[in-house]
Amino acid sequence: MLTENARWQEPVPHPVGDLAADAAALARYAAAAERTLAALPARPDRSPDQQALAEQVLTARRRSADRFLGLHAGEVYDQLTEGRTRYLRIAELAETAAFRFPGLVPTPDEMEAERRYCQAGKDGREIDQGVFFRALLRDAVAGPHLIDAMLLPTARARKLLAALEAEDAVDLGTVLLERRGPVAHVTIHNTHCLNAEDEQLVADLETAVDLVLLDARIRVGVLRGGVMTHPRYQGKRVFSAGINLRELQAGRIGLVDFLLAREVGCLNKIARGLLPAVEEDRFPDRTIQKPWIAAVDSFAIGGGMQLLMLFDWVIAADDAWFSLPAAQEGIVPGLGNLRLGRLTGARLSRRIILGGLRIGATDPEATLVCDEVVPPEQVTEAVETAALAMDSPAVIANRRMIGLAEEPEDRFRAYLAEFALLQARRLYGTDVTDKIDRGWSGTGARA
């Protein structure tokens, strides 16, 4: 066991510009860091001095990885993807990098060991992944290729497409997809937690989005929350309670499988469409896009409100409300900081994001968040009317051009790169973990 006053004194490697030599030096440095960490107790059992040493080691290791990637991000990505001939999803890329470049990102075993602890008991290995993905997304060649990889259909969706075509419905677990004529109705059924988002819901929703975009019979997608079993809202529909706080407290909200997969996979497919194959000469359009309608019952909190920023038409029940409380929770609201201001203007977006302003569907400000407000019993009829209006080739053409004007891919990628690291760091901020332990443990959703 290390003494209380031990300090990290391993010489910092200085990259020389040769990939093989610099990778070897990084691996040696990371191995020395791991030996030091292995000599310490697990985080929950450390003394303040031992925790200070662990943080010093982890920070030094991350800084060395950042220096390495500053010189070699493009080369690393080319090696992992065999000269960009392989399209690896984010999780596959992180796992491949762990073995091809030891010490660059945590191994699957190291990540699994972390998941045995609650959020406050982890060392924050996901921050290392944030360093990695920030560098790749910043790279002018690797970044767009990685985004393309995440726009491809998931293997699960490809397998289920025939079932949707045969049955016109697919139950994905937390999401139900039903085709009614040219309209796909995607209903969130994470009912025990007021449709709060967890890793399973993100995966299920991405599969549903893929299927909507792959099925040529479908021309419009609709997203709505299902009827709740939660005692407080039993028998009522709820759109979304945002991130599942119970899962976050338990350490089961991951940077790769939730936060990045959600933004670069599921949500980006809603915004930019599906890349059906990797051919570069797809004509006339690289991606399959379709218009999307959101129907908000009860509330859209956090990630639920973030979703609305992507939709072409938003209908809300007149008793619904919207909020984006990430700053109060201590985290970053996904791409809400990038997107909300263009809907509401800069001052109002700051009041919502930084000040926690909650907007009711009948408030004057709600006209900047949703397009139509009706009594709860008229939401279904309003959805049907909107779907007819959105079922037009001209709508698809214009949504493409609106997307190009509002959120060019370079701007999206630049934001996402910084988000990858900043959000990973925020997940392990003491203000966040203190709030988790004090007020969020066992509560599930906010409402």
Side-chain angles (χ1 to χ4, degrees):
M1 186 69 64
L2 293 172
T3 65
E4 289 291 303
N5 296 317
R7 290 293 179 264
W8 175 248
Q9 297 179 349
E10 190 74 17
V12 178
H14 295 283
V16 297
D18 178 79
L19 178 61
D22 291 342
L26 175 67
R28 289 192 296 271
Y29 191 70
E34 288 303 314
R35 288 193 295 271
T36 301
L37 293 171
L40 294 170
R43 178 168 182 165
D45 302 320
R46 290 174 192 155
S47 69
D49 280 351
Q50 289 170 334
Q51 181 55 28
L53 173 59
E55 290 174 0
Q56 183 187 12
V57 171
L58 289 164
T59 300
R61 176 176 170 170
R62 289 162 189 157
R63 186 176 290 116
S64 66
D66 189 57
R67 287 181 181 177
F68 170 78
L69 289 164
L71 285 177
H72 300 297
E75 294 173 277
V76 167
Y77 189 80
D78 276 356
Q79 286 210 10
L80 297 177
T81 59
E82 298 177 11
R84 284 170 279 122
T85 61
R86 298 178 65 203
Y87 286 74
L88 300 180
R89 286 180 62 85
I90 282 174
E92 298 171 299
L93 197 62
E95 184 171 337
T96 305
F99 294 109
R100 293 284 295 274
F101 293 92
L104 183 57
V105 290
T107 67
D109 286 346
E110 288 169 339
M111 292 305 301
E112 186 58 34
E114 279 264 278
R115 285 178 76 93
R116 292 200 290 265
Y117 295 95
C118 67
Q119 192 71 12
K122 295 181 178 183
D123 271 326
R125 302 268 183 180
E126 289 164 308
I127 299 174
D128 301 65
Q129 295 175 326
V131 171
F132 175 65
F133 284 111
R134 181 177 70 161
L136 297 189
L137 287 163
R138 279 175 164 180
D139 188 89
V141 176
H145 190 274
L146 175 55
I147 288 170
D148 275 359
M150 292 298 290
L151 288 179
L152 291 167
T154 62
R156 184 186 182 199
R158 291 188 185 278
K159 290 178 182 177
L160 289 173
L161 181 59
L164 175 62
E165 292 171 342
E167 304 294 335
D168 289 330
V170 177
D171 188 343
L172 297 164
T174 63
V175 173
L176 176 64
L177 170 58
E178 300 170 285
R179 186 185 74 85
R180 303 172 201 161
V183 181
H185 292 264
V186 180
T187 307
I188 303 173
H189 280 293
N190 217 11
T191 55
H192 69 287
C193 58
L194 302 180
N195 284 343
E197 293 181 319
D198 52 30
E199 290 185 2
Q200 186 60 55
L201 176 56
V202 166
D204 290 347
L205 187 57
E206 183 174 2
T207 301
V209 169
D210 284 353
L211 289 168
V212 170
L213 296 172
L214 284 170
D215 190 333
R217 302 170 302 171
I218 295 171
R219 298 193 293 273
V220 179
V222 174
L223 182 66
R224 192 176 186 184
V227 177
M228 297 295 102
T229 59
H230 190 285
R232 190 171 171 185
Y233 288 86
Q234 188 154 10
K236 292 188 65 176
R237 285 182 181 267
V238 165
F239 187 72
S240 173
I243 194 169
N244 189 313
L245 301 178
R246 181 178 296 164
E247 290 291 288
L248 180 59
Q249 187 274 338
R252 294 192 292 264
I253 296 292
L255 177 71
V256 167
D257 292 323
F258 183 100
L259 294 162
L260 291 181
R262 177 180 183 271
E263 300 296 346
V264 197
C266 181
L267 271 60
N268 200 33
K269 287 173 177 175
I270 294 173
R272 287 179 169 78
L274 185 80
L275 186 64
V278 296
E279 300 96 297
E280 293 299 322
D281 59 349
R282 182 174 172 82
F283 183 83
D285 301 307
R286 290 190 71 231
T287 61
I288 300 170
Q289 288 198 32
K290 294 176 184 179
W292 287 89
I293 299 165
V296 181
D297 301 277
S298 299
F299 47 77
I301 305 174
M305 187 174 180
Q306 293 167 36
L307 275 167
L308 305 183
M309 301 173 202
L310 300 171
F311 280 70
D312 303 292
W313 196 259
V314 177
I315 299 163
D318 61 15
D319 60 352
W321 52 275
F322 317 91
S323 72
L324 207 61
Q328 289 69 52
E329 297 163 351
I331 57 177
V332 178
L335 271 72
N337 298 306
L338 176 65
R339 293 169 174 155
L340 184 61
R342 71 177 183 237
L343 298 177
T344 66
R347 298 303 340 152
L348 182 55
S349 72
R350 280 171 168 78
R351 292 202 292 276
I352 294 169
I353 294 171
L354 304 181
L357 177 66
R358 171 173 149 171
I359 297 175
T362 57
D363 293 345
E365 299 91 342
T367 59
L368 303 173
V369 177
C370 58
D371 303 288
E372 190 176 354
V373 177
V374 299
E377 64 273 13
Q378 294 180 21
V379 171
T380 298
E381 180 182 353
V383 167
E384 292 172 354
T385 301
L388 286 173
M390 289 286 149
D391 184 7
S392 163
V395 169
I396 297 174
N398 281 285
R399 88 184 296 273
R400 285 186 186 276
M401 301 310 293
I402 289 170
L404 285 172
E406 290 184 340
E407 192 177 291
E409 186 176 297
D410 285 353
R411 188 179 180 205
F412 166 75
R413 184 166 54 83
Y415 180 99
L416 194 65
E418 298 311 308
F419 171 78
L421 180 55
L422 183 57
Q423 185 75 308
R425 291 171 56 207
R426 284 282 73 219
L427 288 177
Y428 296 94
T430 55
D431 58 322
V432 176
T433 54
D434 285 350
K435 287 176 185 177
I436 288 174
D437 287 340
R438 282 200 315 270
W440 297 351
S441 179
T443 61
R446 302 172 181 80

